[in-house]
Amino acid sequence: MGFAAIMLAALLTNKIVYGAVMLFALVVMMWEFLKMTCGSNYKYSQILSIIAGATLFLLVYFFKGFNLPGRLIILAFVPVFILMINSLYIKDKSRFDKFANLYTAIIYIAVPWSVMNFSVFAPDGTFNGYLLLSFFAIIWGSDVGAYLFGITLGQKYGKKLFPSISPKKSWIGFWGGLFMAVAIAVILYFTGIFPVSERSVRFDLCNCIVLAVLLDIAGVYGDLIESQWKRHYEVKDSGTIIPGHGGLLDRFDSALIAIPIGIIYLLVWDVMCL
């Protein structure tokens, strides 16, 4: 609950607070992922990977919020190239297979986290966090719905959703999460929160429901993807930064897939100004 409150404050205050909180979350999530997958191997390279991810986020952040020329986003490749060159100078290559996870962290975490900047900045650089807040509300509402339906009905009736990766997830939980996601999206739509009115082009109730369904399905896959990583490396949680709830990657695993999918939908169908 503590970090959720911090995220809420970041999305409702200004772009400086938003940028600081999001950058912090990105660094922590990448560190958790690399600690889980690489352990104590290639510590210096892990730092380079995190720097590369942070650089990408900051370049997109300044491009959308401070009119940084778009051509400068190409600079995000520089630390990635340094990371690649650094691999040549690694003396102990007995666990070199783990080096691939340094690139995976960038693609899996930094890229989608950077894309979220498109949801909080209007074309003129004006900051408004309500769209991203709505995304999170739908995703987290889906999680709550899936848990409630899954724990009460899913464990007794019906089939499991993906037993080889997450034995507790059920189809009943999935449908409960989907129902909750659509319900929250509709409530946000009729209250005028989702979408933010000045950014709406042709966003109607149908778009609202379609987007909620996409966010829910993509969020389920995002959760399963992280569960697969944790199962492979035999860890229960990605970290311990949130006592009793694990790491930040555990909290945002669904969002890493769902929110970029939602933004892609809005851009492709040109229903909102991003």
Side-chain angles (χ1 to χ4, degrees), residues 121-158:
F121 292 111
D124 63 356
T126 302
F127 174 80
N128 192 317
Y130 279 99
L131 178 59
L132 186 56
L133 179 60
S134 297
F135 283 157
F136 279 124
I138 293 169
I139 294 167
W140 290 338
S142 171
D143 289 342
V144 172
Y147 174 78
L148 293 177
F149 278 82
I151 203 70
T152 56
L153 299 173
Q155 302 305 312
K156 298 180 181 179
Y157 309 103

Side-chain angles (χ1 to χ4, degrees), residues 49-267:
S49 177
I50 294 173
I51 290 174
T55 300
L56 174 62
F57 174 82
L58 287 172
L59 287 171
V60 178
Y61 169 74
F62 284 113
F63 163 64
K64 288 297 297 179
F66 296 88
N67 298 315
L68 180 77
R71 67 180 184 276
L72 296 182
I73 294 179
I74 198 70
L75 293 174
F77 284 102
V78 173
V80 177
F81 292 150
I82 294 174
L83 177 62
M84 292 178 178
I85 294 170
N86 173 69
S87 69
L88 299 173
Y89 295 93
I90 298 295
K91 294 182 179 180
D92 182 10
K93 291 186 170 62
S94 59
R95 298 309 308 271
F96 194 68
D97 57 309
K98 290 184 176 291
F99 211 87
N101 291 321
L102 301 172
Y103 305 119
T104 302
I106 299 171
I107 298 172
Y108 174 41
I109 299 172
V111 171
W113 204 250
S114 300
V115 169
M116 292 184 193
N117 286 305
F118 285 85
S119 66
V120 298
F121 292 111
D124 63 356
T126 302
F127 174 80
N128 192 317
Y130 279 99
L131 178 59
L132 186 56
L133 179 60
S134 297
F135 283 157
F136 279 124
I138 293 169
I139 294 167
W140 290 338
S142 171
D143 289 342
V144 172
Y147 174 78
L148 293 177
F149 278 82
I151 203 70
T152 56
L153 299 173
Q155 302 305 312
K156 298 180 181 179
Y157 309 103
K159 296 182 179 180
K160 298 300 181 181
L161 181 64
F162 226 115
S164 63
I165 294 176
S166 188
K168 292 184 179 180
K169 284 184 170 56
S170 65
W171 276 104
I172 291 178
F174 168 78
W175 291 114
L178 180 61
F179 169 78
M180 188 69 75
V182 173
I184 290 176
V186 170
I187 292 172
L188 291 172
Y189 176 82
F190 282 110
T191 56
I193 297 175
F194 180 48
V196 181
S197 58
E198 63 266 22
R199 298 179 64 177
S200 177
V201 179
R202 293 187 300 274
F203 193 92
D204 55 20
L205 183 59
C206 180
N207 290 129
C208 171
I209 294 173
V210 170
L211 188 54
V213 172
L214 288 175
L215 290 172
D216 175 79
I217 295 174
V220 170
Y221 276 115
D223 184 82
L224 289 170
I225 288 169
E226 199 223 358
S227 294
Q228 182 170 245
W229 281 105
K230 291 192 294 186
R231 180 168 288 271
H232 177 76
Y233 287 99
E234 300 180 340
V235 298
K236 183 179 183 294
D237 298 314
S238 65
T240 58
I241 193 171
I242 307 176
H245 295 278
L248 288 189
L249 187 56
D250 296 320
R251 302 281 68 79
F252 294 110
D253 53 359
S254 298
L256 289 173
I257 306 298
I259 292 178
I261 291 294
I263 293 173
I264 290 171
Y265 172 79
L266 295 175
L267 288 172

